[in-house]
Amino acid sequence: MEKKIEEAYLRAQNFTANDLKELEQFRIDYLGKKGIITSLFNDFKSIPAAEKKKTGKLLNELKVYVQEKILENAEGLTKQSDYSTSFDLTLPANHLITGSRHPISMVRKEIIDIFSRIGFTISEGPEIEDDWHVFSALNFPEEHPARDMQDTFFISKNPDILLRTHTSSVQVRVMENNNPPIRTISPGRVFRNEAISARSHCIFHQIEGLYVDTEVSFADLKQTLEYFAKELFGVDTKIRLRPSFFPFTEPSGEMDVLCSCKGTGCRLCKYTGWLEVLGCGMVDPNVLTDCGIDPNKYTGFAFGLGIERIALLKYNIKDIRLYFENDVRFLNQFSSIV
Ligand code: DAH
């Protein structure tokens, strides 16, 4: 038995594979079901107990040696083939899979760029806010039904701490901390206690705009919004302003853009011909006063829009929930748009 092991060992020592086929044959000869080592292990069962220790050791050493020999040869052969046969410089490179921007990020960036071009800065505020910045300073009296327009998430039993329901809270912070002229937009996440459906979500994104200076008029607001709509939706875009109500602006309005059906009516505009895009108005003098700005000296306009809604219109997306599901089949569709 020991002699047989010795012979097998010597033969393995002298072996070098010229190609992968030879190496595979070597593996089968030694380690295969009917291979040398397998049959030696079978013979091992019937040798006298006294010899078992020594022979077993030799047999194991042989097995380890053969396994190492196979690895060693395989390494040599793959290196060889890398540099000779299969290295083809004319092959196209492996395709790199890159990610894409989320549609919300794309629209947010586009809107920021549009307003940056006419001198608006960017300001941010906290998502966890107090009652003052979200409601009271914006002329929502306590217990006033206007607060019901925005169903609020409260953080604790303390009704003063809440998740901001709109980014209008940032205009309060900006006015409290800066003197006019102020020209800023505030993008950010907002939260409302609303049932999730194709049209609404409890988390979404808004951009608030604020311009305060001497002699700012409704004409400035209208001109700014028209510029914005044409930049975002195309030069032929038509806008219209409808009267509306917000506690923090007086007068208040809502801006619609003419639908891509050109007013003939379609499903997107619910057959009205117009798409609602944002709320706006002249900053209420009470708000200016609350924020430490003299309403006799300064006037201002403000507007607020929902990014999800604009992206729905721009990319004809049917369901707002798609934005939050992280489904790559949805997200990949935006990879070609920069
Ligand atoms: N904050 C309002 C909302 O979330 C949007 C808005 C309307 C903002 C009119 C404004 C504005 O600044 O003037 O519904």
Side-chain angles (χ1 to χ4, degrees), residues 150 165-168 171 192 206 208-209 246 248-249 253 279-281 302-305:
Q150 305 184 355
T165 53
H166 54 177
T167 43
S168 302
Q171 57 160 287
R192 286 188 200 176
Q206 286 188 333
E208 181 79 10
F246 299 100
F248 37 94
T249 41
C280 60
F303 57 86
L305 54 87

Side-chain angles (χ1 to χ4, degrees), residues 132-140 166 168-169 171-172 247-248 287:
W132 171 255
H133 290 94
V134 175
F135 294 123
S136 298
L138 287 167
N139 208 25
F140 286 84
H166 54 177
S168 302
S169 55
Q171 57 160 287
V172 177
F248 37 94
V287 175

Side-chain angles (χ1 to χ4, degrees), residues 198-217:
R199 297 244 125 216
S200 64
H201 209 284
C202 56
I203 303 174
F204 54 102
H205 300 78
Q206 286 188 333
I207 296 186
E208 181 79 10
L210 176 71
Y211 182 25
V212 183
D213 201 349
T214 52
E215 292 173 32
V216 175
S217 70

Side-chain angles (χ1 to χ4, degrees), residues 3 18 35 55 57 85 121-122 127 144 187 192 229 272 280 282:
K3 213 166 165 222
N18 293 314
T55 314
K57 191 166 169 264
T85 45
T121 58
I122 297 169
E127 292 178 346
H144 193 279
R192 286 188 200 176
T272 62
C280 60
M282 300 306 292

